[in-house]
Amino acid sequence: MTSFLRRVRVAEVEPVTSRIKRFRLVPVDSAFSDFSGGSHVTVCMQAPDRLIRNPYSLMGSPSDTSSYQISVLKVDDSRGGSHFMHDQVKVGTELEISEPLNLFPPAKLARKHILVAGGIGITPFMSMMSELAALGADFELHYGVRSFEDGAYCKLLESRYGPRIHLYFQDKGQFVPLDQVLSKQPLGAHVYVCGPKPMIDWALRTAALAGWPDENVHSEQFTAPPGGNPFTVKLARSGRSITVGGHQSILEALEQAGVDAPFLCRGGACGQCETGVTACDGYIEHNDHYLSEAEKASGKKIMICMSRISGDSISLDL
Amino acid sequence: MLNRDVGTVDMFSGIKSRPIYPGLNPDPNARSNLIVCDLGGAEAAVELFARTDGGFAERATVILDTEGASADEVSALRDRLKPAKVEATASLDAAIVRLREILGSATMGLRLYAAGIEPLIGSVVQAGGDHFIDPLSVRTEHRGSLKRRVQCVHCKGFTENVTTNPVTCSQCGLLLTVRDHYSRRLAAFQGVCVNAEVPSERPETKVEFQ
């Protein structure tokens, strides 16, 4: 399944911090679709040697679809996407993006929303807060950054939402006091976490230990598929064999070979690319957060956007 | 023509709204445990406490619907549920009133449990929903009778303690097929007139929810 792509032009590039740039995208052809708070789009970037597709949260207000806005953190060990956006993309550059997709919506029936962001994890909350504020919903943001200079949109958020915003500066020894924040919340509060993986893991653990039901705890994280050694993917239905490079995901290798494989989020979250494994000469390294532990242990399924194998070859039901 | 589905409840087993009750499973991290049960469900609570450490029962409040029990039986149950705090109520309605009171001032970290007949579980899930608790967060176990609360889809009246299919609506008197089609909002199964076209046709009444 190939998602519908649309062309956009970069109308504005703003350096937000030394490592974060904000891009404003406007439609080239037809008007942009509506989106909901927490949505993201996948941006396709034609690097010299390959096609890169990275998901970025939409951070504008859902009520304004004249443009889409994304923020991109330049990552040191980038696979190319964030460097491409920072170094190659200028005002006037045309790109292709997917339609907005929301895997991180606010719970409509919540009594209160506790948003917890670390660093660039602020981005999905920008649109979410616009939506929640417009609905008159009760929310508060707890936002941890390295320093004031390094933290994106701190001033803007404080001016827009005042006392709902709680900032924590790592260089001053401040951290989100999540345990304290989660105690004494009214029944029906929901917590949302976005940030680096260790922070998300810590937040999920803290919420569980505070006795919060899973249904009230939400997280989103976009990670690049981890690299490894090259291996061969055998397609059981077509009989083809395709090599997956060390810095490629199975999905990317299939796409490069012209195989139309299912995908949506490309981050191991949505479940769209779940693929049956018919044989595996090696060990599957599951990097998604979609399959259950039992499914991972069974070795019968793999999420091809994020997971790979350590070994020689894997046969997929494709 | 008669509704051919009468008396064959199995035919409705594919109905997705029909609740399932996986059993009481402890959340060891909850700051407080609130358990609503009837006499049958109390046995499930006793078993739950036996599977957990002492701290779990100490953090627990049991709202016990004692309808139909003697004072001695209630007293014996209180002992078996120790060290949980037991609040005995005389009826299911009174138990739900007390539940709503507690939920009104509760904070996150409370885990809600329901054990007993389906009308009790349904009422607990319903009250939880009114206080923003996701139905999936409520841990439930069915014990005792299969009797149902039924809402007549025609007059919207409720008929309690339904054991037969079809059943006569306690409010409008229509003869109703009791479906597995369930409303979480109303905490009731749906009853649909079985002989609307030929009221004189009365299918055999079977006891299906004893």
Side-chain angles (χ1 to χ4, degrees):
Chain A
M1 184 201 72
T2 309
S3 295
F4 175 72
L5 295 176
R6 62 155 73 238
R7 287 204 77 72
V8 299
R9 194 176 61 249
V10 176
E12 186 189 350
V13 181
E14 181 202 12
V16 181
T17 69
S18 61
R19 299 187 304 140
I20 297 175
K21 279 185 178 177
R22 178 178 62 87
F23 299 84
R24 194 161 64 81
L25 314 174
V26 294
V28 170
D29 308 313
S30 54
F32 280 157
S33 318
D34 289 335
F35 66 98
S36 49
S39 295
H40 70 268
V41 294
T42 299
V43 177
C44 304
M45 294 163 263
Q46 192 56 63
D49 56 333
R50 65 201 182 90
L51 185 67
I52 303 166
R53 302 190 209 215
N54 283 359
Y56 295 107
S57 296
L58 292 178
M59 47 165 294
S61 164
S63 61
D64 175 14
T65 52
S66 63
S67 65
Y68 285 164
Q69 297 183 57
I70 58 173
S71 289
V72 180
L73 170 72
K74 193 169 183 176
V75 187
D76 292 337
D77 56 351
S78 162
R79 294 161 69 249
S82 73
H83 280 261
F84 184 93
M85 290 299 292
H86 272 254
D87 303 337
Q88 310 289 321
V89 176
K90 317 284 180 203
V91 171
T93 302
E94 291 201 358
L95 294 165
E96 280 188 322
I97 66 169
S98 69
E99 288 295 304
L101 176 68
N102 199 347
L103 298 173
F104 197 41
K108 292 290 185 288
L109 297 177
R111 175 189 282 180
K112 183 179 177 185
H113 308 266
I114 315 286
L115 317 179
V116 181
I120 194 66
I122 188 65
T123 53
F125 296 132
M126 301 294 285
S127 64
M128 217 190 264
M129 282 187 284
S130 293
E131 183 173 302
L132 293 173
L135 289 168
D138 188 3
F139 69 91
E140 61 190 48
L141 172 76
H142 297 267
Y143 180 22
V145 295
R146 287 187 188 175
S147 63
F148 186 75
E149 298 69 41
D150 204 59
Y153 311 114
C154 291
K155 266 189 192 163
L156 171 76
L157 289 168
E158 284 193 317
S159 68
R160 208 181 267 176
Y161 302 116
R164 292 182 185 281
I165 306 298
H166 304 263
L167 302 174
Y168 307 89
F169 302 106
Q170 207 178 324
D171 65 341
K172 291 185 183 166
Q174 301 170 344
F175 298 93
V176 180
L178 192 57
D179 209 19
Q180 217 175 305
V181 170
L182 295 184
S183 67
K184 293 179 186 153
Q185 290 295 345
L187 216 52
H190 283 238
V191 65
Y192 310 78
V193 193
C194 187
K197 185 173 186 333
M199 183 207 180
I200 291 182
D201 292 345
W202 162 77
L204 298 185
R205 205 167 48 242
T206 304
L209 289 175
W212 282 52
D214 292 346
E215 290 78 17
N216 294 53
V217 182
H218 316 272
S219 66
E220 179 167 70
Q221 183 201 11
F222 295 132
T223 41
N229 291 320
F231 58 94
T232 303
V233 168
K234 295 176 183 167
L235 305 184
R237 293 188 217 169
S238 64
R240 293 182 65 183
S241 283
I242 292 160
T243 302
V244 180
H247 292 285
Q248 244 182 345
S249 68
I250 296 176
L251 177 61
E252 287 166 338
L254 295 179
E255 287 171 341
Q256 197 173 39
V259 177
D260 201 14
F263 73 89
L264 264 181
C265 76
R266 305 181 82 90
C270 75
Q272 185 74 33
C273 73
E274 177 181 315
T275 303
V277 175
T278 52
C280 183
D281 182 13
Y283 296 98
I284 301 177
E285 295 170 354
H286 292 285
N287 299 314
D288 63 278
H289 26 108
Y290 178 78
L291 294 177
S292 68
E293 290 308 315
E295 285 173 320
K296 287 178 181 176
S298 79
K300 295 205 158 41
K301 290 174 180 176
I302 187 169
M303 310 306 292
I304 57 175
C305 71
M306 286 298 288
S307 303
R308 59 191 302 115
I309 68 161
S310 147
D312 294 332
S313 70
I314 182 168
S315 299
L316 300 180
D317 183 22
L318 278 175
Chain B
M1 194 180 117
L2 285 180
N3 181 334
R4 294 188 188 282
D5 290 340
V6 170
T8 53
V9 164
D10 284 348
M11 289 186 72
F12 298 115
S13 59
I15 290 180
K16 286 183 181 172
S17 63
R18 202 258 175 274
I20 48 170
Y21 310 108
L24 296 189
N25 185 25
D27 174 357
N29 296 316
R31 297 282 194 268
S32 63
N33 306 307
L34 182 55
I35 303 165
V36 186
C37 57
D38 52 24
L39 297 174
E43 297 300 325
V46 168
E47 289 167 27
L48 173 70
F49 291 164
R51 294 203 303 275
T52 52
D53 63 40
F56 184 91
E58 273 170 28
R59 294 191 298 275
T61 300
V62 180
I63 301 176
L64 178 64
D65 166 16
T66 60
E67 195 166 332
S70 69
D72 285 351
E73 280 173 312
V74 175
S75 160
L77 264 178
R78 278 181 188 278
D79 280 346
R80 293 174 63 210
L81 289 165
K82 275 180 180 168
K85 181 185 170 199
V86 177
E87 297 193 19
T89 62
S91 66
L92 173 56
D93 285 349
I96 299 303
V97 167
R98 181 62 188 131
L99 167 66
R100 287 177 180 273
E101 263 171 27
I102 295 176
L103 293 180
S105 58
T107 55
M108 289 300 290
L110 172 142
R111 174 67 73 169
L112 184 56
Y113 300 83
I117 58 170
E118 283 196 73
L120 177 140
I121 298 174
S123 298
V124 171
V125 170
Q126 182 188 42
D130 290 344
H131 289 85
F132 305 93
I133 296 177
D134 190 296
L136 290 174
S137 301
V138 185
R139 309 232 163 139
T140 57
E141 181 160 338
H142 178 259
R143 290 283 176 117
S145 166
L146 293 169
K147 64 188 178 185
R148 296 179 168 192
R149 177 185 295 137
V150 175
Q151 189 204 32
C152 171
V153 304
H154 310 283
C155 78
K156 308 300 177 190
F158 292 96
T159 303
E160 299 285 348
N161 303 319
V162 172
T163 56
T164 64
N165 201 0
V167 67
T168 302
C169 173
S170 61
Q171 184 162 298
C172 70
L174 284 177
L175 194 60
L176 306 173
T177 299
V178 179
R179 289 170 50 83
D180 267 357
H181 176 188
Y182 184 80
S183 165
R184 222 159 46 199
R185 182 175 64 85
L186 302 165
F189 289 92
Q190 304 295 288
V192 183
C193 183
V194 69
N195 54 0
E197 289 169 41
V198 188
S200 61
E201 290 190 7
R202 298 187 67 84
E204 184 193 350
T205 295
K206 292 180 181 168
V207 177
E208 287 185 0
F209 315 115
Q210 202 153 23

